[in-house]
Amino acid sequence: MKNPPALEQLIDSLRCLPGVGPKSAQRMAYYLLQRDRNGASALSAALETALEVVDHCKLCNTFSEQPICPLCAADNRDKNLLCVVEMPTDLLMLENTHAFMGMYFVLMGRLSPLDGIGPKEIHLDKLIKRAQDGLVNEVILATNYTVEGEATAHYISELLKTRGIKTSRIARGMPMGGEIEYVDSGTLAQAMMERRNV
Amino acid sequence: MKNPPALEQLIDSLRCLPGVGPKSAQRMAYYLLQRDRNGASALSAALETALEVVDHCKLCNTFSEQPICPLCAADNRDKNLLCVVEMPTDLLMLENTHAFMGMYFVLMGRLSPLDGIGPKEIHLDKLIKRAQDGLVNEVILATNYTVEGEATAHYISELLKTRGIKTSRIARGMPMGGEIEYVDSGTLAQAMMERRNV
Ligand SMILES: [Zn+2]
Ligand SMILES: [Zn+2]
């Protein structure tokens, strides 16, 4: 005895969401079918649209609906500075501080060998190429001050230094183990100003 | 500065899932677009199909792709017994014990006034009508032995008794506060056999 096939299929499909196990997928499916059919329909459409229109910016690698994202295409940014962050959220957080007017590169992750995330998964080839466009003269590493974020910054700084590219790290203005996404603007702005060579 | 519109829309839409807040919706959206586009596409399709084909059985109220579900339509069930459960999962659990060969009614919830779930939300009109089909001669209340499940059973038993319908409650074979979904088959089978009049 099982749920109807289309319901089982929905429960299965919900399990592709990170952190969602069989029990919670079932609870979600029941909830959607019973109490929020409009929400379910909107979610289906939003998934389809996002898959269709959202890709990665060719320059900074963040999510974008254009080949070059609005920030990379803007003409009021300092093309000499390239700030490397782990995730798009980190970019948005830094923008909100108004402490940085340069360009970005988004790794879409951090080195994490145990999870199978190596240099390729965080697009380091693309970063190296980006940093050698002839305009960038300093790469600011703004990965998190976690163990993995630190290891990632160290790895990238080695790569860049062998290519003669000046590299700095945002100052440790945040608490140890802290993640950029959760730090207040003031602290983050200070960390940006006090960046040091590495 | 924000995410691209289609990505913001996806993050918003994911929040219709129970237990998913803004941070976790964002994490899910990033994950899907970056690492599991096939899963996202399958989820979109599964939502659409389920919304289209899954409705409630006219007799037992469980999720069904047919107007009358296969269990209600089967000719080898005892039409004199009607077992009332909270959720479709509970029905599936009871079926797995093979201790019951009667019919079911699925409330799709439990009374919970604080959450705005009253008699109407758990389809008690439909249940009363179902219990008076002329064949049912005993309604077995198999709601959970939680505070809300107990209150629901009590409320339903009062409704049925004023209509002269014999009502029983599955025996407390399970631990206090236990939920049917998590109890082993043997305990559940025993509880079914030892049901008592209420
Ligand atoms: Zn860009
Ligand atoms: Zn049915």
Side-chain angles (χ1 to χ4, degrees):
Chain A
M1 187 81 201
K2 293 197 108 191
N3 287 307
L7 177 53
E8 283 294 329
Q9 181 61 50
L10 175 56
I11 295 170
D12 261 16
S13 302
L14 283 163
R15 294 200 51 197
C16 76
L17 298 171
V20 175
K23 287 282 171 198
S24 110
Q26 180 166 275
R27 193 168 51 95
M28 287 174 168
Y30 284 5
Y31 176 86
L32 291 175
L33 286 175
Q34 199 191 338
R35 302 209 193 280
D36 196 5
R37 287 183 165 242
N38 289 341
S41 175
L43 175 54
S44 172
L47 283 163
E48 206 182 329
T49 304
L51 288 171
E52 206 177 293
V53 307
V54 180
D55 205 333
H56 295 275
C57 171
K58 285 190 198 312
L59 278 181
C60 74
N61 202 41
T62 197
F63 289 123
S64 173
E65 296 184 13
Q66 296 84 29
I68 306 289
C69 77
L71 196 151
C72 285
D75 54 11
N76 64 341
R77 309 286 307 196
D78 181 351
K79 306 264 193 280
N80 301 141
L81 295 176
L82 182 67
C83 178
V84 177
V85 295
E86 295 181 16
M87 295 299 289
T89 342
D90 302 329
L91 184 160
L92 300 180
M93 292 295 290
L94 277 164
E95 279 302 287
N96 287 339
T97 69
H98 303 291
F100 180 69
M101 276 301 288
M103 312 300 287
Y104 289 97
F105 187 87
V106 183
L107 300 171
M108 289 288 170
R110 63 215 58 87
L111 288 178
S112 180
L114 292 179
D115 304 314
I117 301 181
K120 186 161 164 280
E121 281 70 31
I122 60 171
H123 313 278
L124 293 192
D125 283 355
K126 193 172 171 182
L127 168 59
I128 299 295
K129 203 170 148 238
R130 175 72 186 85
Q132 293 178 311
D133 71 343
L135 293 170
V136 171
N137 59 30
E138 179 181 351
V139 174
I140 303 166
L141 300 172
T143 54
N144 289 320
Y145 265 108
T146 55
V147 174
E148 289 175 345
E150 282 274 69
T152 305
H154 180 75
Y155 190 93
I156 295 174
S157 74
E158 293 298 315
L159 277 183
L160 295 175
K161 278 192 284 191
T162 61
R163 284 163 181 82
I165 302 163
K166 182 182 170 192
T167 312
S168 61
R169 179 88 169 100
I170 53 168
R172 185 174 312 200
M174 347 181 214
M176 287 297 294
E179 299 190 17
I180 288 180
E181 193 178 339
Y182 299 95
V183 165
D184 66 276
S185 282
T187 311
L188 198 51
Q190 182 119 8
M192 174 61 69
M193 287 182 297
E194 291 180 10
R195 64 185 183 269
R196 59 189 165 76
N197 292 328
V198 287
Chain B
M1 186 81 200
K2 294 198 107 192
N3 287 307
L7 177 53
E8 283 294 330
Q9 182 61 50
L10 175 56
I11 294 171
D12 262 16
S13 302
L14 282 164
R15 295 199 51 197
C16 76
L17 298 171
V20 174
K23 285 283 172 197
S24 108
Q26 179 165 276
R27 192 168 53 95
M28 286 174 169
Y30 283 4
Y31 176 87
L32 290 175
L33 286 175
Q34 200 191 336
R35 302 207 193 280
D36 196 5
R37 288 184 164 242
N38 289 341
S41 175
L43 175 56
S44 172
L47 284 161
E48 207 184 329
T49 304
L51 287 170
E52 207 177 293
V53 307
V54 179
D55 204 333
H56 294 275
C57 171
K58 287 191 197 313
L59 278 180
C60 74
N61 202 42
T62 197
F63 290 123
S64 173
E65 295 183 15
Q66 296 85 28
I68 306 289
C69 77
L71 195 150
C72 286
D75 55 10
N76 64 339
R77 311 286 306 196
D78 181 351
K79 307 265 193 278
N80 300 140
L81 295 176
L82 182 66
C83 177
V84 176
V85 295
E86 296 181 15
M87 296 299 290
T89 340
D90 302 329
L91 184 159
L92 300 182
M93 292 295 289
L94 278 164
E95 280 302 288
N96 287 338
T97 69
H98 304 290
F100 181 70
M101 276 301 289
M103 312 299 288
Y104 289 96
F105 187 87
V106 183
L107 299 170
M108 289 288 169
R110 62 214 60 84
L111 288 177
S112 180
L114 292 180
D115 303 315
I117 301 182
K120 184 157 164 286
E121 282 69 29
I122 59 170
H123 313 279
L124 293 192
D125 284 355
K126 193 172 171 183
L127 168 58
I128 299 296
K129 203 170 148 241
R130 175 71 186 84
Q132 293 177 312
D133 71 344
L135 292 172
V136 171
N137 59 29
E138 178 180 352
V139 173
I140 303 166
L141 300 173
T143 55
N144 288 321
Y145 264 107
T146 55
V147 174
E148 291 174 343
E150 282 274 69
T152 304
H154 180 75
Y155 189 93
I156 295 175
S157 74
E158 293 299 315
L159 277 183
L160 294 175
K161 277 191 286 193
T162 62
R163 284 163 181 82
I165 301 164
K166 182 182 170 193
T167 312
S168 60
R169 180 90 169 99
I170 53 167
R172 187 175 307 200
M174 349 182 213
M176 288 294 296
E179 299 189 18
I180 288 180
E181 194 178 339
Y182 299 95
V183 165
D184 66 277
S185 281
T187 311
L188 198 52
Q190 182 119 6
M192 174 59 70
M193 285 183 298
E194 292 182 9
R195 65 186 183 267
R196 58 189 165 76
N197 291 329
V198 286

